[in-house]
Amino acid sequence: MKYPPSNYPVATGVITLYFLLMKLTPKQIEQLKGRIIAIDGPAGAGKTTTATLVAEQIHFTYLDTGAMYRAITVVALQKGISPSDADVLTQIAQSCDLQFEIKQSVNHVIINGQDVTKEIRTPDVTSHVSEVSAHVGVREVMVALQKTMSENGSVVAEGRDTTTVVFPKADLKVYLDASVEQRAQRRVKDMVAMGIQTTLEEQIADIERRDAYDSGRAHSPLTKAEDAHVVDTSNLTIEGQVDRIIELALENIR
Ligand code: DC
């Protein structure tokens, strides 16, 4: 046989396309199977998009813990309950039926039979969720539920305390970070795409307020776990962020 063979460009093209689409070999997917990858970081660091894509590529379940606190906030606002009312909010968390359901590749959040996928992203919910999520009673219920949902492994979880409190023994811990300016710019883009008017200044102020709240609260504040790998996404594309996390997973999970 001549080398390179005459079908070399075609074969190379097919292999390149395979890796572009699959990214991982079946052996690498098997290597990661059953494990837990936990990703924490501040608002707007790109956790949701990155974790969703990582989970998709390695055939894991995506666990959006922030969406769970957001769903409790939706119910509280609908019932006219103050975000500072720890007792009632804890009761809501204890008695709720909270589930995730994938429909047409979209991760839907269902609470008490109500699909709140859109409602959890409204500015009203975003501005109250930090206060709701700071109550220890609410956190205890959510953390227990997050552990139960992940019993079988093969999970990519993301939030503020997944590397420290929920999965202290996660197989890979990542702290995703980016500058306030970059995070605010991404939020503006997301909100404009949702048809919501906002400015960069408003989003910088909101992100700084949420950072202070999430990092300064008494229970499970946002902190970088000692053994977490820091990935700064300020100058990374989404694809770059996903690739970096998969690379870290393959290097650290054996
Ligand atoms: O990641 P997010 O913006 O959807 O999170 C919404 C809020 O929930 C955020 O203000 C902090 C809180 N949160 C938390 O306290 N613990 C988590 N594990 C995830 C989110």
Side-chain angles (χ1 to χ4, degrees):
M1 187 172 77
K2 261 195 339 193
Y3 191 81
S6 57
N7 61 351
Y8 177 76
V10 177
T12 313
V14 169
I15 291 166
T16 310
L17 188 65
Y18 173 83
F19 278 106
L20 278 176
L21 294 174
M22 296 289 297
K23 297 260 178 166
L24 291 161
T25 63
K27 195 172 164 211
Q28 287 172 320
I29 290 176
E30 191 59 32
Q31 175 189 337
L32 303 178
K33 198 174 167 186
R35 306 306 186 97
I36 291 189
I37 297 178
I39 305 174
D40 283 334
K47 298 185 302 292
T48 303
T49 314
T50 309
T52 305
L53 292 171
V54 169
E56 212 172 270
Q57 290 206 13
I58 60 177
H59 306 178
F60 273 31
T61 302
Y62 164 52
L63 179 65
D64 181 352
T65 61
M68 298 169 75
Y69 293 102
R70 285 173 179 270
I72 300 292
T73 307
V74 170
V75 173
L77 294 176
Q78 284 175 348
K79 294 190 169 184
I81 292 152
S82 164
S84 64
D85 194 334
D87 289 345
V88 177
L89 290 167
T90 302
Q91 279 165 25
I92 288 179
Q94 282 166 342
S95 60
C96 77
D97 173 20
L98 185 48
Q99 296 178 16
F100 288 104
E101 244 179 76
I102 307 280
K103 291 185 208 160
Q104 290 165 342
S105 305
V106 176
N107 197 25
H108 285 253
V109 187
I110 323 279
I111 188 160
N112 302 330
Q114 185 192 357
D115 188 328
V116 292
T117 312
K118 283 204 178 115
E119 287 79 356
I120 61 170
R121 306 287 163 200
T122 60
D124 200 20
V125 170
T126 299
S127 65
H128 290 103
V129 62
S130 286
E131 191 173 357
V132 170
S133 69
H135 300 300
V136 65
V138 174
R139 299 203 71 81
E140 279 172 359
V141 179
M142 291 299 111
V143 169
L145 190 54
Q146 287 153 16
K147 287 184 175 171
T148 306
M149 285 175 163
S150 310
E151 264 169 5
N152 298 328
S154 294
V155 167
V156 179
E158 61 101 340
R160 302 295 189 286
D161 62 346
T162 66
T163 57
T164 52
V165 176
V166 191
F167 304 113
K169 293 189 179 154
D171 299 281
L172 176 71
K173 297 182 183 181
V174 176
Y175 188 86
L176 217 58
D177 208 354
S179 66
V180 171
E181 177 96 357
Q182 275 289 340
R183 293 191 276 137
Q185 272 174 11
R186 289 176 190 160
R187 274 285 143 93
V188 171
K189 222 169 131 189
D190 288 350
M191 292 177 85
V192 169
M194 287 192 286
I196 301 166
Q197 283 302 312
T198 185
T199 64
L200 185 61
E201 290 67 33
E202 267 173 15
Q203 289 311 308
I204 288 177
D206 191 58
I207 280 188
E208 283 176 340
R209 181 186 62 81
R210 290 179 62 199
D211 280 359
Y213 214 113
D214 295 343
S215 306
R217 68 181 178 218
H219 306 288
S220 316
L222 168 67
T223 46
K224 186 190 95 57
E226 261 182 31
D227 48 351
H229 300 263
V230 178
V231 176
D232 189 322
T233 67
S234 302
N235 298 309
L236 286 178
T237 59
I238 295 289
E239 199 183 38
Q241 296 166 34
V242 174
D243 286 352
R244 181 68 192 126
I245 292 175
I246 291 179
E247 196 176 80
L248 284 170
L250 292 171
E251 276 167 21
N252 290 280
I253 303 175
R254 299 256 157 218

